[in-house]
């Protein structure tokens, strides 16, 4: 009898990209220490001062363009390349999972390298080397905005994320403070016999009940777990 290796679902947050040089949000030197959410990441901020919002995301995009995937992104892509069923659900707006080679990536909070119409969310455009300027419009003539989910907005990918988590044998959570809903509630969608592991160096972080903690940086913990699963897979 042959058994399939476990279906792995990975929920990532800003911490997985920290070792690539992308700032996290809630650290003492994180993004939200220097910027007020209500000035740069809400629909109201966009209405009040779109130029300020665009310039905030231009800086984020510069950081992403300068970054490279790290050992954690690469280990997850490698696992998928070796035939494991891997779904990544990321809160990150960077494209480092894709650039590492992961193919099943769901962006809960959107993608910084895409623009979208400020009226019709389905009208999306890859930005490539460009940024968005005031006056840049979609094919229907509406101003473009970053294709990211702001505070106070719906999270359209959430129902699909719930379905993916419900199918998981193992949920690996990496580098997130689990401070933002609804992403933080995804762990509740796991089936009762599934396992959940949280890799994050913050030992103060409150893990949901039943979650196994790996108190380590992603660049160390994720490749170590992946090596372990690849060894275990020989048993399947
Ligand atoms: N490896 C793994 N985790 C790390 C590392 C690292 N090298 N460095 C820091 N971390 C952890 C921190 O300990 C923290 O728990 O990453 C986590 C980052 O938490 P936040 O800054 O709150 O980021 P995140 O959880 O992704 O935020 C969720 O909030 O502002 C919004 O939309 C934004 O998607 C974001 C959401």
């Amino acid at each position: 009898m042959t058994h399939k290796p476990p279906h792995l679902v990975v929920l990532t947050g800003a911490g997985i990209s920290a070792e690539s040089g992308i700032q996290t949000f809630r650290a003492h030197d994180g993004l939200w220490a220097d910027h007020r959410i209500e000035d740069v990441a809400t629909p109201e901020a966009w209405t009040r001062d779109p130029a300020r919002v665009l310039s905030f995301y231009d800086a984020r995009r510069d950081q992403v363009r300068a970054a490279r995937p790290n050992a954690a992104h690469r280990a997850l892509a490698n696992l998928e390349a070796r035939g494991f069923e891997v779904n990544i659900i990321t809160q990150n707006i960077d494209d480092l999972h894709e650039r590492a080679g992961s193919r099943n990536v769901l962006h809960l909070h959107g993608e910084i390298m895409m623009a979208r119409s400020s009226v019709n969310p389905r009208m999306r455009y890859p930005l490539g080397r460009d940024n968005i300027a005031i006056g840049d419009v979609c094919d229907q003539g509406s101003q473009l905005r970053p294709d990211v989910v702001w505070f106070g907005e719906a999270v359209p990918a959430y129902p699909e994320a719930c379905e993916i988590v419900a199918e998981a044998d193992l949920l690996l959570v990496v580098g997130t403070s689990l401070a933002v809903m609804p992403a933080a509630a995804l762990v509740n969608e796991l089936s009762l016999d599934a396992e959940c592991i949280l890799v994050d160096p913050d030992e103060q972080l409150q893990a949901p009940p039943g979650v196994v903690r790996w108190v380590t940086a992603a660049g160390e913990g994720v490749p170590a777990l992946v090596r372990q699963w690849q060894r275990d897979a020989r048993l399947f």
Side-chain angles (χ1 to χ4, degrees), residues 82-161:
R82 284 169 180 245
F84 279 72
E85 191 179 356
V86 182
N87 282 92
I88 294 176
I89 301 170
T90 186
Q91 298 169 82
N92 300 342
I93 57 177
D94 68 53
D95 57 359
L96 294 183
H97 285 299
E98 288 91 340
R99 278 157 60 194
S102 288
R103 283 169 306 166
N104 300 323
V105 185
L106 183 68
H107 284 270
L108 271 182
H109 296 163
E111 295 175 68
I112 186 124
M113 298 311 294
M114 300 287 290
R116 73 147 164 104
S117 156
S118 47
V119 175
N120 180 351
R122 284 189 303 277
M123 303 204 71
R124 304 170 72 233
Y125 306 88
L127 279 165
R129 298 161 76 91
D130 296 331
N131 285 328
I132 305 170
I134 300 288
D136 289 349
V137 293
C138 72
D139 295 340
Q140 293 174 337
S142 302
Q143 172 67 44
L144 292 176
R145 56 167 269 187
D147 186 22
V148 300
V149 175
W150 287 325
F151 285 88
E153 292 189 311
V155 180
Y158 190 66
E160 186 181 349

Side-chain angles (χ1 to χ4, degrees), residues 197-220:
I197 300 174
L198 168 60
V199 174
D200 192 296
D202 180 359
E203 52 193 23
Q204 309 297 328
L205 192 60
Q206 292 293 319
V211 172
V212 174
R213 285 292 328 261
W214 277 45
V215 182
T216 160
E220 190 181 325

